[in-house]
Amino acid sequence: MAPVKVTKICCIGAGYVGGPTCAVIALKCPHIQVTIVDLNQARIDAWNCPDFKLPIYEPGLVDVVKQARGRNLFFSTDVDKGIQEADLIFVSVNTPTKKSGVGAGFAADLNYVESATRRIAAVAQSSKIVVEKSTVPCRTAESMRTILEANSRPGTRFDILSNPEFLAEGTAIADLFKPDRVLIGSLQTSEGKDACQSLAEVYANWVPTERILTVGLWSSELSKLAANAMLAQRISSINALSAICEATGANIDEVAHAIGFDSRIGPKFLRASVGFGGSCFQKDILNLVYLSESLHLPQVAAYWRQVVEMNEYQKHRFSKTVVDTLFNTITGKHIAVLGFAFKADTGDTRESAAITLIRDFLTERAYVTIYDPQVEESQIWLDLAEAMPGVPLENIKKQVTIASSAPEACKNKEAIVIATEWKEFREIDWETVYTHMNKPAFVFDGRLLVDADKLRKIGFRVTTIGRGERT
Ligand SMILES: NC(=O)c1ccc[n+]([C@@H]2O[C@H](COP(=O)([O-])OP(=O)(O)OC[C@H]3O[C@@H](n4cnc5c(N)ncnc54)[C@H](O)[C@@H]3O)[C@@H](O)[C@H]2O)c1
Ligand SMILES: O=c1ccn([C@@H]2O[C@H](COP(=O)(O)OP(=O)(O)O[C@H]3O[C@H](CO)[C@@H](O)[C@H](O)[C@H]3O)[C@@H](O)[C@H]2O)c(=O)[nH]1
């Protein structure tokens, strides 16, 4: 049998991964029809929105959708039709951390992957290549295969591939246009290798072949968890060092610069911060911890768990610095928090460090004003309500205000906390902001974003993560 030439792709899940990934495939492969399906009608309506108010904010995404939508890119809630028409199906559904049952708090909730797989098994009338795009525990493809094979019709077959996604939010389109690598895992049978080649040919329309890596299924699944664990570990390492810098007078920027010059370490991903956030790092490390424990490897589990614990420590350490610096109490004080998204250039707030900081401030009975250029007001209320279970939203709203610009957020406040590294915060007119603040006026830079010396000259008292000096 020769590899199938893919002409119709269906992607199940129109989220942060399915949407941008398959929109780029449609753009780069005009000869392939790409249909992205989702059960969430509101999300699909937003993807189909005539004025391109898409459900996610991602630089460059609107341009891609503008070029391909209606040509060979379609968004629909008709999941069954999408499955039936396609010869290759991406499963790109969410895999959050389990909230209850066995493995709660650690293991991935595979309910959505299983439902999507069962739907494929129930409605497919011809052979399909099924691609695991979601991040999943090692050997999930085996469960998918068991479900699919138990339900296949005579004369049809399912081949399962693992093709984890490595895009980062905020740079998704650039990452998809020029990926460091595309990883495809398959069974090492001739059918598995053929399926792998079919998918590799799709990517080869724009990705150089030497960047398309083909490996075994389990290696592919584990490589995704491993990549995220090692990236997050770098951040926890630099954040752990930032605590030493603050205690000794060393400067974390200088330390990162110095160690990053070692070509074995490299300069990227060494930016100390108020803690990593996002939907992936914590979830995927906890997943690895769970996997290690299930495999009776407690020392390995403890090693990776510490990366998450260090991140929690960093967030609370920063909140405590704010309280300590504001004369050991923030009760009744007014604090502006600039940034709510988990990083710049995204409207995504999942696991954002800002949420932890604000919860800490509210628990200390401070008043908080939040400004973020991309996060919807309704999302902020949802996140705060979820972060403070048992506290009615009306009570949270008595302590929290949402502002429509950074200068407005900072007016008449005692302190400014920079929680997300939005470029516009660097360009704030700090002189004017200073004149409208209560004195002494404090800035806490959790993102190494502002020029602390310049702000001090204006009159601010500045505390920067990973720097010993304060005034
Ligand atoms: N967000 C990222 O930057 C990123 C990057 C790489 C990998 N990942 C992984 O990709 C996967 C998806 O992440 P995401 O951020 O896109 O999630 P998301 O929550 O934004 O999107 C998932 C979508 O799947 C839909 N869905 C769930 N079950 C369905 C079903 N049975 N049929 C049809 N639609 C269904 C949901 O309605 C939702 O819109 C996760 O496993 C995640 O770990 C995410
Ligand atoms: O030097 C750094 C780099 C990042 N961060 C923080 O780390 C978090 C994650 O950032 P980033 O990795 O850029 O964004 P994600 O969209 O979460 O992307 C990660 O998670 C995705 C989902 O699995 C993977 O596909 C990507 O490769 C991986 O980078 C954010 O809060 C950043 O602010 C730092 O604090 N310091």
Side-chain angles (χ1 to χ4, degrees):
M1 255 184 31
V4 172
K5 189 123 192 94
V6 175
T7 58
K8 286 190 178 165
I9 289 178
C10 170
C11 173
I12 305 180
Y16 284 89
V17 167
T21 308
C22 285
V24 167
I25 291 179
L27 180 78
K28 300 290 188 181
C29 310
H31 55 287
I32 298 179
Q33 179 184 307
V34 180
T35 306
I36 305 178
V37 297
D38 202 295
L39 298 171
N40 182 331
Q41 182 73 54
R43 222 169 201 187
I44 290 299
D45 289 348
W47 281 111
N48 281 323
C49 172
D51 57 1
F52 294 92
K53 287 211 170 77
L54 304 180
I56 60 177
Y57 171 73
E58 195 59 63
L61 177 63
V62 169
D63 277 352
V64 173
V65 175
K66 267 187 185 159
Q67 289 179 67
R69 197 176 74 187
R71 181 189 73 182
N72 64 327
L73 173 65
F74 305 93
F75 297 91
S76 166
T77 50
D78 195 342
V79 177
D80 293 1
K81 184 163 172 260
I83 292 171
Q84 280 163 350
E85 285 184 348
D87 28 42
L88 184 146
I89 302 167
F90 284 107
V91 176
S92 199
V93 299
N94 34 330
T95 50
T97 306
K98 267 183 96 170
K99 288 197 170 137
S100 59
V102 178
F106 287 92
D109 182 349
L110 294 176
N111 196 23
Y112 304 96
V113 172
E114 183 169 334
S115 312
T117 309
R118 285 191 182 277
R119 203 65 218 152
I120 297 170
V123 305
Q125 287 159 351
S126 56
S127 299
K128 313 281 175 198
I129 298 173
V130 179
V131 185
E132 194 186 66
K133 185 57 120 174
S134 299
T135 303
V136 289
C138 204
R139 296 198 84 90
T140 301
E142 192 162 66
S143 319
M144 291 171 77
R145 188 153 55 95
T146 308
I147 293 171
L148 291 167
E149 283 180 355
N151 290 283
S152 64
R153 292 177 168 77
T156 65
R157 53 173 292 113
F158 294 105
D159 287 293
I160 320 291
L161 298 175
S162 157
N163 172 221
E165 185 48 59
F166 295 100
L167 67 80
E169 288 180 28
T171 54
I173 299 302
D175 294 344
L176 289 164
F177 278 9
K178 213 169 170 294
D180 282 353
R181 81 312 211 173
V182 165
L183 183 63
I184 308 176
S186 68
L187 284 181
Q188 299 303 298
T189 56
S190 66
E191 292 89 348
K193 287 179 182 169
D194 280 352
C196 179
Q197 199 181 324
S198 296
L199 180 57
E201 278 169 14
V202 173
Y203 284 110
N205 282 291
W206 79 99
V207 180
T209 43
E210 66 275 14
R211 287 189 181 262
I212 303 175
L213 314 182
T214 57
V215 297
L217 263 178
W218 324 129
S219 303
S220 173
E221 290 177 335
L222 185 58
S223 298
K224 173 63 196 177
L225 297 183
N228 273 356
M230 295 200 63
L231 287 168
Q233 180 209 45
R234 260 174 97 89
I235 303 172
S236 278
S237 298
I238 203 75
N239 284 343
L241 290 165
S242 77
I244 299 181
C245 286
E246 287 165 35
T248 56
N251 177 325
I252 196 65
D253 258 350
E254 291 177 355
V255 173
H257 184 67
I259 61 177
F261 250 78
D262 185 323
S263 60
R264 293 167 303 174
I265 297 174
K268 292 183 184 168
F269 242 73
L270 282 180
R271 199 150 186 82
S273 69
V274 70
F276 61 73
S279 63
C280 295
F281 280 173
Q282 177 170 311
K283 161 175 87 72
D284 293 347
I285 294 174
L286 293 177
N287 197 333
L288 197 59
V289 168
Y290 184 70
L291 180 70
S292 310
E293 271 168 1
S294 317
L295 297 169
H296 308 293
L297 301 167
Q299 290 82 356
V300 179
Y303 175 75
W304 289 114
R305 188 186 284 117
Q306 189 56 30
V307 173
V308 175
E309 283 173 10
M310 180 54 62
N311 197 47
E312 287 304 304
Y313 167 73
Q314 183 76 347
K315 291 187 266 185
H316 293 300
R317 197 172 73 78
F318 191 72
S319 308
K320 186 171 179 306
T321 301
V322 173
V323 177
D324 291 352
T325 311
L326 292 176
F327 314 112
N328 296 313
T329 175
I330 57 170
T331 302
K333 291 184 179 165
H334 292 81
I335 299 176
V337 175
L338 299 186
F340 195 83
F342 81 94
K343 64 184 276 195
D345 292 325
T346 177
D348 195 351
T349 61
R350 291 178 285 180
E351 304 296 339
S352 177
I355 300 172
T356 310
L357 299 184
I358 294 166
R359 186 184 55 203
D360 288 350
F361 299 155
L362 296 181
T363 309
E364 295 284 339
R365 289 181 288 131
Y367 293 99
V368 175
T369 302
I370 302 164
Y371 167 68
D372 188 285
Q374 279 300 332
V375 179
E376 303 277 345
E377 196 169 321
S378 54
Q379 186 62 48
I380 295 179
W381 296 129
L382 269 177
D383 288 332
L384 294 182
E386 197 184 306
M388 304 191 75
V391 182
L393 188 58
E394 312 89 80
N395 290 10
I396 295 176
K397 285 188 173 179
K398 284 182 195 150
Q399 275 176 272
V400 178
T401 318
I402 297 171
S404 56
S405 73
E408 183 199 318
C410 301
K411 227 175 208 169
N412 303 325
K413 305 295 182 304
E414 271 92 43
I416 300 170
V417 171
I418 300 174
T420 311
E421 71 282 22
W422 284 103
K423 190 164 161 268
E424 68 170 73
F425 300 157
R426 205 178 286 138
E427 289 151 8
I428 288 172
D429 175 358
W430 288 105
E431 306 247 3
T432 312
V433 165
Y434 183 73
T435 57
H436 293 114
M437 281 184 67
N438 298 342
K439 308 295 175 331
F442 292 86
V443 170
F444 297 90
D445 185 357
R447 291 294 189 164
L448 295 166
L449 191 78
V450 294
D451 182 340
D453 289 339
K454 187 178 129 196
L455 264 62
R456 287 194 183 105
K457 279 192 194 120
I458 295 172
F460 284 104
R461 295 180 178 220
V462 185
T463 303
T464 307
I465 205 127
R467 289 199 196 145
E469 89 281 1
R470 285 180 202 168
T471 47

